[in-house]
Amino acid sequence: MGQARRRTGGLLALAAALLLGSAPARAAFDPGYEARNFSKTTERATHLTLLPDYQQQLRTVGTANELQAAQILATDGPPTGRTFLGQLCWQHMDGCAGDTRLYDWAARYGHVTPVLFTARNGATLSGHVWATVAGPARRPGVVITNGSVQAPEELYWFAAETLAKAGYVVMTWDPQGQGYSDTVGEGPDALDGVPSQNGQPFYDGTEDALDFFFSGPGAPYVPRRSCSTGTDHAAKQRARVTAGLDSAYNPMHDLVDFSRVGLVGHSLGAGAVSYIGQLDPRVRTIVAYDNLSAPKAAPFGCRSGSSPRPVPALTKPALGLSADYGLTPQPNLSEPVRGAKSAGSRALAAAGVDSAEFVIRGGTHYEFSFIPNPAFGASLRGEDLVSWYTTAWLDKYLKGSDPTADARLLTDRWRADAAEGAIDPDHDGNLYSRYSSSPLDVHTAAGMHVVCEDARAACPALRPDGGPVPYSFLAAANTPDAAPGPGTPAALTGPSTQAPAGAAGTPPGATGPQALRACRDTTAPVSRLTRSRARLTRRGLRLAGTSTDAGCDGRAGATTGVSISVARLVPGRAAACRFLRPDGRLSPVRSCARTSYLPATGTARWTFTRRVRLPAGRYRVYVRGVDAAGNVERKARGRTDLRLRLR
């Protein structure tokens, strides 16, 4: 009788599920599979970092790094210079060295310049700027923000080198409290952001790093006032530049197309770029390593007002990459919640913004930061998958004209990777998690809307990309560079080294007389809509205009980005609007004051074209410019706005 009841109850439950159209029941947890899956966290150590040759190389690199740290402390250390003694990775040895196979890149494959600059709280921040001699005169830019604790910038050189080879100018840097950057700030801000793991230096520092990246000969870097006390630490930046210690501006400024800049971040850095990337109009797209979020509020305020921190509108395409196991990997004792890791990506997709989240099977938090220590386990092929998708995503949303970007983003290669299958305990070549879904929701250059609920499954949108098999980020990064010729920019003909600024014989980056004339540009661009060229029809919208920037101290500035807001006024409801979204649809009704923007093409002379089918009604258009200093243009009635009617 009991058995019959159980069978009847099971059938009724199944029938109810079918009638309601519910998702299939979660698979029963398999401890045997979990043991094999968790064993993948040892792959990097087993197949690479514990091998005798790698260990010998690690010892050599670690010794050299320890010597460099000592040299910096001797020439630019306490009591007047940098203070990083005592940080977990201050010697940059062993687990703090990163991938030792990447240390000869500056000597053989590309060009690297070490830089130093002053954060808004007075801390000195250390970094490098990466590029290749081969490549166009103007290139997209990427700023990479580290994770926390044992995560100096060396752990992210795999991404920097791969992206530089792909035609980007890349900046890596150490947030306050990490690597060769100061542990503390200066004066009244000495304890601002201490300890760094509270997260504030990752948010403030990402903005500071962007400010430095956008600085140039005509507008040298000047730090913002501190968030906590409002103190101005520009005098420290000027003094250190004059002394030949800090960099006056981004040494590769002249190579960068500042209308095409993206952010990449890991862990606390992922939280920072998820928020700052949506907020800062200079940023076009985001890649977040473990993990992407869709911010609903400002994680950290800035009471001095040097960095307003409102709730950002979700308009920038963003990629999330994560893994089965987290910061402290532990075996699962039950089936994980399937959609937990893709919540941020799905929230962006629901807002009409292109997004994706790929979860690495058997991977950990350290797929994204190379720590050559078996205590920080990782899979073997995760780093390659991360490099592949980072490059494909940025190529799609920053290069635009790359015809291969969609194919590489919509590839099926990671569902049957031979290199993975050769070492996997189940000989499974599929790198996507079995536990967590890996969704994708994007629009292709051809205008197709591609939605894939889980890349691990047989998703029809995923097809062969036509590239070499297997993919190796190391092979992509370590390819010969062009030799400097007569037309090579000066930034690529000087010293090239991955040693930190301040180590023996290494330059601090861009210096010179411009450093003494540094001014803080506080004037926003002035943009105008050309009314005679505005067209709104049932087939779409076309706008055009101009934007100029006054700069500072009599030196002309430059608009680095122009964006457009298109709002349909809701009939019968005062101050209620629906805004045009990236997917061509209108947002739900909200206050017209919560303006959201989409990027225009061009800067000094710009255009905005969208082939969309819009409903009849009254529309209001706004244009907004942003300059290299981060100044954002405010609305000015009659100049930045335009009213249109669609009948």
Side-chain angles (χ1 to χ4, degrees), residues 123-191:
T124 297
L125 303 183
S126 172
H128 292 83
V129 185
W130 309 69
T132 55
V133 173
R138 289 283 185 173
R139 312 173 193 184
V142 179
V143 175
I144 300 176
T145 297
N146 303 1
S148 66
V149 191
Q150 187 165 322
E153 59 159 307
E154 287 91 333
L155 276 55
Y156 305 93
W157 283 358
F158 76 95
E161 294 178 8
T162 306
L163 289 171
K165 278 295 178 184
Y168 292 85
V169 178
V170 185
M171 178 174 166
T172 54
W173 63 285
D174 280 322
Q176 175 190 344
Q178 302 204 170
Y180 294 111
S181 292
D182 271 335
T183 305
V184 298
E186 183 184 58
D189 299 308
L191 297 181

Side-chain angles (χ1 to χ4, degrees), residues 192-288:
D192 187 18
V194 178
S196 64
Q197 284 69 46
N198 70 12
Q200 182 179 343
F202 295 83
Y203 288 77
D204 292 354
T206 295
E207 286 183 317
D208 294 341
L210 277 169
D211 289 348
F212 179 81
F213 190 70
F214 274 75
S215 66
Y221 171 75
V222 180
R224 305 184 188 200
R225 292 179 293 112
S226 74
C227 280
S228 57
T229 69
T231 301
D232 185 351
H233 294 279
K236 178 177 180 179
Q237 168 72 7
R238 289 194 297 270
R240 285 182 58 84
V241 169
T242 302
L245 297 171
D246 276 12
S247 310
Y249 53 85
N250 177 0
M252 297 190 188
H253 170 275
D254 292 346
L255 281 176
V256 185
D257 176 353
F258 289 107
S259 68
R260 299 183 292 160
V261 173
L263 284 178
V264 176
H266 177 219
S267 193
L268 273 176
V273 303
S274 292
Y275 175 76
I276 299 299
Q278 295 293 347
L279 182 69
D280 196 313
R282 295 173 294 182
V283 177
R284 295 289 296 270
T285 191
I286 301 158
V287 178

Side-chain angles (χ1 to χ4, degrees), residues 487-504:
T488 302
L492 298 175
T493 59
S496 176
T497 177
Q498 289 165 243

